[in-house]
Amino acid sequence: LQGEVGSGKTIVALRAALNVIDAKAQVALLAPTEVLAQQHHRTISKQLGELATKGKLGAPDYAIELALLTGSVGAAEKREIQSRMKSGEIDLVVGTHALLSEGVGFKDLGLVIVDEEQRFGVEQKELLKKLRTSVDVLAMSATPIPRTLEMAITGIREMSTITTPPEERHPILTYVGPQDEKQISAAIHRELLRDGQVFYIHNRVESIDRVALKLKELVPEARIRVAHGQMSETMLEDVILAFWNRDFDVLVCTTIVESGLDIPNANTLIVERADMFGLSQLHQIRGRVGRGRERAYAYFLYPVEKPLTEVAIDRLNTIATNTELGAGMQVALKDLEIRGAGNLLGGEQSGHIAEVGFDLYMRMIGEAVQDYKSGIIETEEISHECKIEIPVDAHLPESYIDSERLRLDIYRRLADAKEPDEVKPIEEELLDRFGQMPEPVMTLIRIATRPLLRQTQPPCQRGHRQQIGRAHV
């Protein structure tokens, strides 16, 4: 289930959990951090309370047993929860990696819900599935990891997308560029003028205090505190709670704030060394701001004196261009293209696609899945590539459709059309959305309609794909 932060993934997951519990099975919800696990526990408790009040849970004596299992739970309480899970008394357990530790078992596990799925490794997710062979898995993420996304778009796994953005949200204004002290100072000052708060990401614990002192010199009036994973649990909780209560203005922290924090008053984000982060990390970190009605700003900075790698440039370009609400899916697709999908049956979560090319790899996987679903395991049919090159100017000019994503989408739909009747709706849509078609577009439409040639020529074998607009597609 792919959807932006705040789009309602937890409510959808809760509905699935209620169906499973109604069928007398148990549900486990796995979250990457204690903060997020506690947040889910509170949300689910509140929702279940409202449903019980409204009489939506059936008979008055119908009760759902909910438990929270994290690393901070005491040993005695943990043993009691584990015992009740094994006996089937607990219907729904919310937990962190503690759910994957030894001694954890279920009487009848029916559903595993994995939130922030990109934060878990393959082995961790497989551990829960091994507890019972016929367990269903619902993975939720704003930016799925490449392997999960690739399995979804090739048909191995099913995927649903929540595209409706939360109410009263605005796209986050995103800036990617070299680090400049004047710009950092101006960004913090602007946020302070509207009584807002700032996230400043510096992902090095050994130098984080020096960065906080430097910021104090740049903006003397700002109240600044530090948070990182090497602090004690009590100190970290105090800092986060104080930031929530607006006791200070700038939180200098590592990526521990990547998921689970919901602070609507913090609407400026500054990230140092953005070239060192992964694409999904950048998108998740950007999701820390813009959660209220105020316009949010995100600054992804890199050092001027150090050259950027080609992959880092790709990532930063992607995060800079995909700023609209619901851009997580596009970011995840680009991440899949950059990193590859990995080994579908092993532990590697990226790689392999670069060996054969993205398009060919996706086609090979798609054909294998289709064969499996249709019952064709072995076939003697030889797949031929059918290539048609036409020396004409047939393409979608930028002056006609200025969005690269829309142009590629139209090219894809034309290439996938197998009958002339399938081209007609695309032609009508172009006329309706972009106006009168220039000559190259009309030529492209005519070429896409020409598979009527198949009536006079031998048909291509399975694997046939048209290549239209040789120089442009």
Side-chain angles (χ1 to χ4, degrees):
L1 180 62
Q2 189 276 331
E4 289 302 306
V5 176
S7 58
K9 297 191 295 292
T10 305
I11 301 301
V12 174
L14 179 57
R15 286 175 176 269
L18 289 175
N19 282 328
V20 172
I21 293 167
D22 193 46
K24 308 302 181 187
Q26 294 168 289
V27 180
L29 195 160
L30 193 61
T33 64
E34 288 200 17
V35 174
L36 191 54
Q38 290 165 0
Q39 184 175 302
H40 279 315
H41 187 264
R42 284 195 300 270
T43 302
I44 293 171
S45 298
K46 181 182 176 183
Q47 292 292 329
L48 291 178
E50 290 179 1
L51 287 172
T53 304
K54 294 175 181 176
K56 297 289 180 65
L57 291 179
D61 58 347
Y62 181 81
I64 293 176
E65 287 294 325
L66 177 65
L68 176 66
L69 187 63
T70 65
S72 60
V73 173
E77 187 181 353
K78 187 177 292 186
R79 283 194 299 271
E80 183 189 349
I81 291 173
Q82 290 175 355
S83 173
R84 296 177 67 204
M85 286 163 58
K86 289 176 181 176
S87 67
E89 293 176 48
I90 291 178
D91 303 302
L92 172 58
V93 59
V94 180
T96 55
H97 294 73
L99 278 174
L100 306 175
S101 57
E102 287 187 25
V104 175
F106 297 85
K107 182 182 180 182
D108 184 14
L109 181 63
L111 174 66
V112 175
I113 301 169
V114 184
D115 194 22
E116 301 290 356
E117 171 265 350
Q118 77 281 357
R119 299 285 299 276
F120 292 93
V122 175
E123 292 180 7
Q124 295 165 332
K125 283 175 280 193
E126 292 297 319
L127 272 174
L128 272 178
K129 289 170 68 177
K130 284 179 182 177
L131 295 174
R132 191 166 181 271
T133 54
S134 57
V135 65
D136 291 321
V137 179
L138 172 62
M140 303 189 295
S141 177
T143 50
I145 58 172
R147 187 168 92 155
T148 301
L149 182 62
E150 191 263 354
M151 290 170 75
I153 59 182
T154 53
I156 298 173
R157 293 183 69 173
E158 294 180 28
M159 179 173 69
S160 297
T161 303
I162 301 176
T163 55
T164 307
E167 289 184 6
E168 299 181 336
R169 289 276 179 92
H170 302 287
I172 299 166
L173 294 179
T174 303
Y175 168 81
V176 175
Q179 188 163 333
D180 178 28
E181 289 186 355
K182 291 181 180 177
Q183 186 180 46
I184 292 172
S185 176
I188 295 174
H189 274 120
R190 184 185 58 227
E191 191 61 47
L192 295 182
L193 284 172
R194 59 177 185 176
D195 294 325
Q197 292 166 285
V198 179
F199 282 111
Y200 191 98
I201 308 295
H202 175 84
N203 207 28
R204 287 284 181 272
V205 175
E206 61 270 20
S207 55
I208 197 167
D209 290 320
R210 291 199 299 273
V211 171
L213 289 172
K214 184 68 176 176
L215 287 178
K216 191 66 179 174
E217 292 175 13
L218 289 174
V219 192
E221 68 271 27
R223 297 167 296 171
I224 300 172
R225 290 187 67 178
V226 170
H228 56 77
Q230 293 183 17
M231 297 168 66
S232 71
E233 186 181 327
T234 307
M235 286 179 64
L236 185 59
E237 188 176 346
D238 288 344
V239 172
I240 300 298
L241 194 59
F243 194 55
W244 169 266
N245 292 328
R246 305 186 186 183
D247 294 342
F248 61 97
D249 308 307
V250 181
L251 178 63
V252 182
C253 56
T254 58
T255 53
I256 57 166
V257 299
E258 183 181 336
S259 62
L261 276 188
D262 185 3
I263 301 179
N265 194 51
N267 285 302
T268 292
L269 168 74
I270 302 170
V271 182
E272 276 191 7
R273 292 307 307 266
D275 55 306
M276 303 294 289
F277 292 87
L279 250 184
S280 63
Q281 256 192 321
L282 291 173
H283 185 70
Q284 291 285 343
I285 292 170
R286 183 168 61 181
R288 296 311 99 211
V289 295
R291 302 168 74 91
R293 299 180 182 182
E294 298 288 336
R295 171 70 74 181
Y297 301 87
Y299 297 85
F300 295 106
L301 309 176
Y302 54 84
V304 186
E305 68 278 3
K306 295 185 180 179
L308 298 179
T309 64
E310 187 176 340
V311 173
I313 292 171
D314 262 357
R315 290 174 184 153
L316 294 175
N317 281 337
T318 302
I319 208 70
T321 52
N322 292 281
T323 59
E324 67 274 14
L325 293 170
M329 189 62 178
Q330 298 304 322
V331 170
L333 286 168
K334 184 64 178 178
D335 199 22
L336 170 62
E337 187 175 339
I338 291 173
R339 295 166 59 197
N343 184 342
L344 294 181
L345 302 176
E348 298 85 1
Q349 299 197 40
S350 62
H352 298 297
I353 278 184
E355 301 295 326
V356 293
F358 181 74
D359 183 66
L360 176 59
Y361 182 85
M362 299 305 289
R363 206 185 324 158
M364 289 166 61
I365 292 292
E367 289 175 359
V369 171
Q370 190 59 41
D371 284 350
Y372 181 78
K373 287 184 175 179
S374 60
I376 304 172
I377 305 302
E378 292 183 5
T379 176
E380 296 181 0
E381 181 184 338
I382 300 172
S383 177
H384 296 286
E385 180 77 13
C386 194
K387 187 174 182 180
I388 304 170
E389 292 190 355
I390 305 171
V392 295
D393 186 11
H395 70 288
L396 300 171
E398 286 187 37
S399 57
Y400 185 59
I401 303 176
D402 57 3
S403 168
E404 181 183 4
R405 188 185 303 167
L406 285 174
R407 291 200 304 275
L408 290 174
D409 183 56
I410 298 296
Y411 281 134
R412 179 188 59 77
R413 289 166 60 190
L414 287 172
D416 288 343
K418 294 180 175 59
E419 298 295 336
D421 290 345
E422 296 177 20
V423 179
K424 191 66 178 173
I426 302 174
E427 182 181 0
E428 292 171 355
E429 181 183 332
L430 288 173
L431 285 168
D432 182 54
R433 293 178 67 180
F434 306 105
Q436 187 61 38
M437 295 186 291
E439 187 60 34
V441 181
M442 295 171 67
T443 306
L444 180 67
I445 294 294
R446 285 197 294 271
I447 291 172
T449 313
R450 282 301 160 84
L452 292 168
L453 291 170
R454 282 182 284 181
Q455 296 176 0
T456 57
Q457 295 180 358
C460 294
Q461 299 293 329
R462 183 171 61 85
H464 160 252
R465 286 178 68 88
Q466 301 170 45
Q467 291 194 358
I468 52 180
R470 174 180 58 178
H472 301 279
V473 179

